[in-house]
Amino acid sequence: METTLGRKPRLNRVEKKAQTRAAIVAAARRVFLARGFHAATLDDIAEEAGYTKGAVYSNFAGKDDLFLAVLGEHYAARAERYASLILGGDDVEDTYRAIAGVMLDAYRREPAWWPLVSDFSTHASRDPQLRERLRSTREAFLDALAGQVDDVCRRHGMRYALPARDVARGVGALMRGMVVEWAIDPARLDRGTFEEMVAAYLRGLAVPPPERSTA
Amino acid sequence: METTLGRKPRLNRVEKKAQTRAAIVAAARRVFLARGFHAATLDDIAEEAGYTKGAVYSNFAGKDDLFLAVLGEHYAARAERYASLILGGDDVEDTYRAIAGVMLDAYRREPAWWPLVSDFSTHASRDPQLRERLRSTREAFLDALAGQVDDVCRRHGMRYALPARDVARGVGALMRGMVVEWAIDPARLDRGTFEEMVAAYLRGLAVPPPERSTA
DNA sequence: TGTACATCAGTGAACGCGCGTTCACTGATGTAC
DNA sequence: TGTACATCAGTGAACGCGCGTTCACTGATGTAC
């Protein structure tokens, strides 16, 4: 005796397929994170989802297409969360460190995510069509981040020497690069150091330089 | 009638093996750059070098070991070149832009190099022994870069908020991250933008902030 | 200088293995009447 | 409501392919005497 909010025993074909697709994407995310893009196999993913490889091919064009689906969901969820996360205090420096902190926390939660995207990017860059799909997926995500940068500018009455989108791209690049360092040598992962790096980049990009003697 | 400086017709075993090894490393570099770490095969490499796969295994423990040899040679050559390259003018800003320029030129010359190292890093991070070998190889290279940072400090009578090694690590990270962006969307490769990013990072990291009214 | 033996860099072929993709098929769901 | 047929999500197995690694062997180089 379940309400309509509970698991419906009867699903039509469209609903059932959507459910299967979602299960595969969720399973793919886990397997990709656990094994990396190259080492993750469609067998692993199908089994993790409780289906066979055929089910994957019934829902996706192939491994690349499946990964793009995982990536799209990830970015959508991230953009939503970011939208209300980086508020910070009255000091811009606090906001800068908060930005670094949010990224670092995400990394600590899923350290394999960033290398995963890096590997897929290298892979995708060798196939024009795939590269274009990845590009547009990422660019949509960068829109959200650029919006955050604009918010920071508005709140603190300032501007940067580069377009908001490039400001965000740089922060992401710094993070992505440091993730490689941390992968090689986890001992280098230091919150204070990374906060200082991000803050320095944004501080140095601000124009005119922020005056500390405002308050 | 060649002098002793010419190609010696007679090579003893040690010399001949060293020659083979060098040829394989050089061929490996080309094939890795052309196809990427995962897609490059030992068959490709051996053929490119003019040997069979057995010759590779006679000189290296395997694919990973061979890549580390390529990496070691690259870093050695780079460290040497850097040592006399980033001189810059009287303005620190010029030096910052020169640093960005040197990296960008290297990228333009061999765009596949950075993704190659990123992919190998992800790969190596999954094997403790391999990761340690990569770590020490990289750390040696970072020593050279840290030396460059110290030179800049000495020349301009300044210091940074982070140890020289981390300053360098951050610049490298920014570059590595942007390379991923450029791989996805080559149109984003813009000299001015990247110079501004690197300059902003270093400018923001300087303590106390550089005074423009010195001259 | 010459001979007999030892070494070992590089050969060539096979091994062992697993992956992404395809495809004929099935049986539950959907549709037409 | 019931029947006959159509659809298609997911199955299961095979296909096609290539890779990293191993290994018995060879023949040129090195060594001992």
Side-chain angles (χ1 to χ4, degrees):
Chain A
M1 282 291 180
E2 296 179 304
T3 69
T4 50
L5 287 175
R7 188 179 304 255
K8 294 176 187 171
R10 286 281 175 84
L11 295 175
N12 65 26
R13 273 227 269 259
V14 173
E15 291 168 326
K16 188 129 201 200
K17 180 158 193 183
Q19 180 183 282
T20 300
R21 194 191 139 97
I24 291 171
V25 170
R29 169 180 245 274
R30 290 193 295 273
V31 175
F32 277 134
L33 283 171
R35 305 223 219 279
F37 179 74
H38 297 287
T41 72
L42 293 184
D43 268 317
D44 293 337
I45 293 168
E47 193 186 348
E48 170 80 15
Y51 293 90
T52 61
K53 274 190 291 188
V56 174
Y57 278 89
S58 179
N59 282 279
F60 301 93
K63 194 182 188 183
D64 292 336
D65 189 44
L66 174 54
F67 186 86
L68 278 173
V70 171
L71 191 65
E73 281 206 2
H74 177 91
Y75 280 159
R78 267 305 170 75
E80 230 175 291
R81 208 188 312 172
Y82 281 168
S84 61
L85 212 65
I86 302 166
L87 297 174
D90 288 340
D91 191 351
V92 211
E93 288 287 320
D94 291 342
T95 302
Y96 291 164
R97 289 176 188 276
I99 291 170
V102 165
M103 288 192 293
L104 235 173
D105 289 341
Y107 176 72
R108 285 227 170 89
R109 217 175 305 121
E110 284 182 336
W113 176 258
W114 290 75
L116 190 54
V117 176
S118 293
D119 282 3
F120 182 74
S121 297
T122 308
H123 169 67
S125 71
R126 293 176 184 277
D127 174 339
Q129 289 195 22
L130 187 59
R131 186 179 71 191
E132 172 52 29
R133 293 184 65 193
L134 173 59
R135 194 199 58 76
S136 70
T137 300
R138 256 192 82 78
E139 215 63 18
F141 179 53
L142 273 171
D143 277 339
L145 297 186
Q148 296 297 303
V149 171
D150 286 334
D151 283 352
V152 171
C153 287
R154 228 171 288 124
R155 174 187 299 263
H156 296 282
M158 57 186 294
R159 68 183 194 83
Y160 290 106
L162 292 174
R165 193 184 285 267
D166 286 327
V167 174
R169 214 187 296 273
V171 173
L174 192 52
M175 174 69 184
R176 184 171 300 289
M178 285 309 293
V179 163
V180 173
E181 300 290 329
W182 299 332
I184 297 173
D185 188 358
R188 291 274 111 39
L189 203 170
D190 177 77
R191 189 175 206 89
T193 300
F194 185 62
E195 284 180 350
E196 187 58 42
M197 285 179 173
V198 171
Y201 168 74
L202 290 169
R203 191 189 302 142
L205 214 49
V207 48
E211 319 226 341
R212 300 255 185 163
S213 52
T214 300
Chain B
M1 282 291 179
E2 296 178 305
T3 69
T4 50
L5 287 174
R7 188 179 306 257
K8 293 175 188 170
R10 285 280 174 87
L11 295 175
N12 64 25
R13 273 227 268 261
V14 173
E15 291 168 328
K16 188 129 199 197
K17 179 157 194 184
Q19 181 183 281
T20 300
R21 193 192 140 96
I24 290 172
V25 170
R29 168 178 245 273
R30 290 193 295 273
V31 175
F32 278 134
L33 283 171
R35 305 225 220 279
F37 178 74
H38 297 287
T41 73
L42 293 184
D43 268 317
D44 293 337
I45 292 169
E47 193 186 346
E48 170 80 16
Y51 292 91
T52 61
K53 275 190 291 188
V56 175
Y57 278 89
S58 179
N59 282 279
F60 302 93
K63 195 182 188 182
D64 292 336
D65 190 44
L66 174 55
F67 186 87
L68 278 173
V70 171
L71 191 64
E73 281 206 1
H74 177 91
Y75 280 160
R78 268 304 170 77
E80 229 174 292
R81 208 188 311 170
Y82 281 169
S84 62
L85 211 65
I86 302 167
L87 298 173
D90 288 340
D91 192 351
V92 211
E93 289 288 318
D94 291 342
T95 303
Y96 292 164
R97 287 175 190 277
I99 292 170
V102 166
M103 289 192 292
L104 235 174
D105 288 341
Y107 176 71
R108 285 228 170 88
R109 217 175 304 121
E110 283 182 335
W113 176 259
W114 291 74
L116 189 55
V117 176
S118 294
D119 283 3
F120 183 75
S121 298
T122 308
H123 169 68
S125 71
R126 293 176 184 277
D127 175 338
Q129 289 194 21
L130 186 60
R131 186 180 71 191
E132 172 53 28
R133 293 184 66 193
L134 173 60
R135 193 198 61 74
S136 70
T137 300
R138 256 192 83 76
E139 216 63 19
F141 179 54
L142 273 171
D143 276 339
L145 297 187
Q148 294 299 302
V149 172
D150 286 334
D151 283 352
V152 171
C153 287
R154 227 171 288 127
R155 173 186 299 264
H156 296 282
M158 57 185 295
R159 67 183 194 84
Y160 290 107
L162 292 175
R165 192 185 285 267
D166 286 326
V167 174
R169 213 188 296 274
V171 174
L174 191 53
M175 174 69 184
R176 183 170 301 288
M178 286 308 294
V179 162
V180 173
E181 300 290 329
W182 299 332
I184 297 173
D185 188 358
R188 290 274 111 38
L189 203 169
D190 177 77
R191 188 174 205 89
T193 299
F194 184 62
E195 284 180 350
E196 187 57 42
M197 285 179 173
V198 171
Y201 168 74
L202 291 169
R203 191 189 302 143
L205 214 49
V207 46
E211 318 228 342
R212 300 256 185 160
S213 52
T214 300

